[in-house]
Amino acid sequence: MYRKVSPVLLACPVVILSGAALLADVFSGVMAGAVVVVYLTSLWTGRWGVFLGAALFSVLAIPLLTFGVLNLWGVVLALPALPAVSFGLQSIAMPLMPSSATSKPRPSLIAVSMVTVLACGLFIAIVVQAIILAASCAMVAIVLLGTWYVQFRRLGRQPLVAEVLESRVGAGTTVRREVVIRRVCRSCCNVSIRVSGGAVVESLSPVRINGDSVEVVVSLTPLLGGPTDIMVYACVSDELGLIYVGQSLRILHLHVIPRAQVAQSAAMRFLEKGEMGEGGGNYLAGDIAEVAGLSGGGEYVASRAYVPGDSIRTVDWKHTAKLQSLVVKTFGENPGATGLILVNLGVANADEADRLVYKFLSGVLAVVGLSQSAAIGLYGDGQEERIGQALEGRALVRRALNATAEVQTGIEWSRMLQPMSLQAIEARINSLRRMGSETALRLLGLLGLEARVMREGVRVDPVGRLIHNAVNRFYPSWCVAFTAMQWDAGSLLTELRSLEMKGIRTLIVDVGKSDIVRANRA
């Protein structure tokens, strides 16, 4: 795209300056030799800013050195050195290109700088009555302005053209697309990706210029449902870097399907036809089976083919090696076992609400798919906690669908420290007491204060009342909590730890993070 200048033309300033130095006085000859050295050194090392300065200086110096012999005709002798200036501009155009520019063509910083230098040189030449210097500056300025106008006409206001791609994708799913932008004219360009809708750019490959097209690969993750337009904001310049123009292009139109919609469709399909289908609980099937005691806690029944979502702990390695495909073990059900599903209905924003509904319904469908019964306990910031009776099958799914309509957004909460259960804090207090150092005693006071505050909070927290109510009514064999780990984090970890000490298996599904399922390890 650039640097298409003949080596012969690049050698012209060196040859002409060397010859002119022989016609000038000693001082001028030494200065001309210094310029030649700087010119060749910068050309060899690729220091294009220095090279551009040396090339421009040589254009202005040649008429001065040959004035005694050629008079004003020395300006004509400087013309063969102008391609070196063009080469310097081409070489420095891309590195100096900004990441953004206005939609109207504007002169670049290097163009403004060169015009300023030439204007100052012309003013000084007029003041000191140096006619040859004034002629040299005027000649370069005229060539520069003429070139700028030609490049302005070539570049125009819309130098890039892109085709809009249509794509359907689920919210939270990372998509990777190759974007091809066609250049209307030969130009440099610096492309940056911004998003005009709810999406996060995960990665952006370096810009590749292939002939008349610009190629870039972008990976992004849409967050919410509805159409999302992905825009490319490009800064484009001519190949000499004299003009910049900004342009925005719509390259991708995403039809985003909310995660909650996928789970709700699977739940409605189950209510109508009794079929799970795609998205029908596979997401949490393995984790629910493990916490419900169906991943090895019961009696071994048979083996079957692996289904996405099965826990790695249930893999039947013997049959897997024999059949060369993943096989998992199935275990007998625990008759009469009832679980407890806790749901914090308060979330910070729409994206957390989308994750909560998706994970909650997926978990309920997984429970139903495992032929388990469960009671659903609901609570939230400013809401009265309530727990229903143990249900199974369609009744449990219908209760879960009704609960999703009560999700509240706008519950903002910032946490500076990793949440801990009361039991974990007390264990650390005991460790500090055994240490006995001055620093340990200071930390002991802080942890003691935190333990007292948490102990009082657990007594009145909705999570504690829900769990105690469930234990008194039917004593669950397992408990799964869906929460964004906000204000309820400490109390929830404490109560679930107490259940684990009683032999009740627990699991926390953190909807405040993009795609994390974690067991309670307090």
Side-chain angles (χ1 to χ4, degrees):
M1 184 188 67
Y2 58 88
R3 300 188 186 178
K4 293 183 178 180
V5 178
S6 171
V8 175
L9 294 178
L10 290 179
C12 283
V14 177
V15 175
I16 297 174
L17 274 178
S18 300
L22 299 177
L23 302 176
D25 56 71
V26 176
F27 178 77
S28 300
V30 172
M31 293 300 296
V35 173
V36 170
V37 171
V38 173
Y39 180 92
L40 293 175
T41 304
S42 57
L43 178 62
W44 179 262
T45 59
R47 300 175 67 88
W48 304 119
V50 178
F51 174 82
L52 177 60
L56 183 61
F57 187 85
S58 66
V59 172
L60 298 177
I62 289 173
L64 292 174
L65 294 175
T66 59
F67 180 72
V69 177
L70 301 177
N71 205 343
L72 291 178
W73 290 103
V75 175
V76 178
L77 192 61
L79 292 177
L82 286 176
V85 178
S86 173
F87 179 77
L89 288 172
Q90 293 177 21
S91 302
I92 206 172
M94 195 66 182
L96 292 183
M97 183 177 296
S99 59
S100 61
T102 61
S103 58
K104 295 181 179 180
R106 291 288 186 270
S108 66
L109 178 61
I110 190 65
V112 173
S113 301
M114 290 181 64
V115 170
T116 303
V117 170
L118 293 173
C120 292
L122 183 60
F123 176 77
I124 294 173
I126 294 174
V127 171
V128 301
Q129 297 183 354
I131 300 177
I132 188 64
L133 179 59
S136 301
C137 293
M139 181 267 296
V140 177
I142 291 173
V143 173
L144 180 63
L145 292 176
T147 304
W148 188 91
Y149 179 76
V150 172
Q151 297 293 343
F152 172 79
R153 299 294 297 179
R154 290 182 57 204
L155 196 62
R157 294 178 178 270
Q158 301 290 329
L160 301 178
V161 177
E163 181 183 356
V164 181
L165 303 178
E166 300 279 343
S167 181
R168 293 177 62 87
V169 62
T173 304
T174 301
V175 294
R176 187 173 183 268
R177 293 290 184 270
E178 181 177 0
V179 179
V180 179
I181 305 171
R182 188 171 62 85
R183 294 186 296 164
V184 177
C185 64
R186 302 289 288 178
S187 60
C188 306
C189 63
N190 190 358
V191 177
S192 61
I193 298 292
R194 301 179 194 171
V195 180
S196 62
V200 176
V201 176
E202 305 291 349
S203 63
L204 178 65
S205 69
V207 176
R208 299 192 309 272
I209 299 178
N210 184 14
D212 290 334
S213 64
V214 179
E215 300 174 358
V216 62
V217 179
V218 59
S219 297
L220 52 91
T221 303
L223 300 179
L224 302 176
T228 298
D229 288 328
I230 308 302
M231 306 292 294
V232 167
Y233 291 84
C235 178
V236 186
S237 78
D238 65 296
E239 49 191 345
L240 297 179
L242 299 177
I243 307 171
Y244 291 147
V245 59
Q247 185 179 355
S248 60
L249 297 168
R250 191 162 69 105
I251 59 168
L252 190 60
H253 186 69
L254 297 179
H255 298 277
V256 185
I257 304 173
R259 288 160 289 200
Q261 181 178 333
V262 175
Q264 288 171 339
S265 298
M268 294 300 298
R269 188 186 308 111
F270 176 77
L271 292 178
E272 295 172 0
K273 302 180 180 180
E275 301 174 355
M276 288 292 184
E278 185 179 356
N282 288 340
Y283 171 67
L284 291 174
D287 300 281
I288 296 295
E290 183 177 347
V291 75
L294 302 181
S295 59
E299 183 180 356
Y300 170 75
V301 175
S303 296
R304 60 170 174 82
Y306 172 82
V307 176
D310 287 335
S311 174
I312 192 66
R313 299 184 181 183
T314 63
V315 174
D316 187 343
W317 296 109
K318 181 178 179 181
H319 288 86
T320 296
K322 183 177 180 180
L323 300 176
Q324 295 297 306
S325 62
L326 276 176
V327 176
V328 295
K329 296 179 180 179
T330 58
F331 299 87
E333 300 178 4
N334 187 5
T338 301
L340 173 62
I341 300 176
L342 299 176
V343 185
N344 182 355
L345 297 174
V347 291
N349 49 53
D351 187 56
E352 277 192 8
D354 187 45
R355 287 200 295 266
L356 173 62
V357 173
Y358 171 66
K359 294 183 178 182
F360 171 46
L361 291 180
S362 297
V364 170
L365 290 172
V367 170
V368 173
L370 295 168
S371 302
Q372 293 281 294
S373 63
I376 297 178
L378 306 176
Y379 66 97
D381 189 13
Q383 299 185 29
E384 181 181 0
E385 72 278 0
R386 55 200 182 279
I387 185 172
Q389 61 182 354
L391 303 172
E392 60 183 6
R394 284 184 170 86
L396 180 61
V397 174
R398 190 176 295 107
R399 177 72 180 96
L401 278 173
N402 294 334
T404 58
E406 303 180 39
V407 175
Q408 292 183 345
T409 59
I411 311 298
E412 297 289 345
W413 185 268
S414 61
R415 178 178 296 278
M416 304 302 295
L417 301 176
Q418 181 72 19
M420 292 190 299
S421 66
L422 179 60
Q423 296 87 344
I425 295 176
E426 290 176 343
R428 295 193 178 188
I429 290 176
N430 293 331
S431 299
L432 291 173
R433 284 175 178 169
R434 289 193 294 268
M435 294 176 63
S437 64
E438 182 178 353
T439 304
L441 293 177
R442 293 178 181 176
L443 292 175
L444 184 62
L446 294 176
L447 287 178
L449 177 61
E450 184 178 0
R452 288 194 297 272
V453 172
M454 182 174 292
R455 195 175 292 111
E456 293 296 327
V458 168
R459 295 175 182 174
V460 298
D461 197 275
V463 178
R465 292 198 294 265
L466 271 177
I467 292 178
H468 293 161
N469 189 5
V471 170
N472 293 332
R473 287 174 57 182
F474 56 86
Y475 203 87
S477 60
W478 53 267
C479 178
V480 178
F482 297 87
T483 175
M485 298 298 283
Q486 298 176 347
W487 54 270
D488 59 333
S491 298
L492 183 62
L493 290 172
T494 299
E495 294 295 344
L496 293 188
R497 181 59 180 160
S498 298
L499 293 180
E500 287 184 343
M501 295 173 66
K502 297 176 182 179
I504 300 175
R505 293 173 295 275
T506 67
L507 175 71
I508 294 178
V509 180
D510 188 350
V511 302
K513 298 182 180 180
S514 178
D515 194 22
I516 295 178
V517 179
R518 68 180 187 184
N520 179 33
R521 293 290 182 263

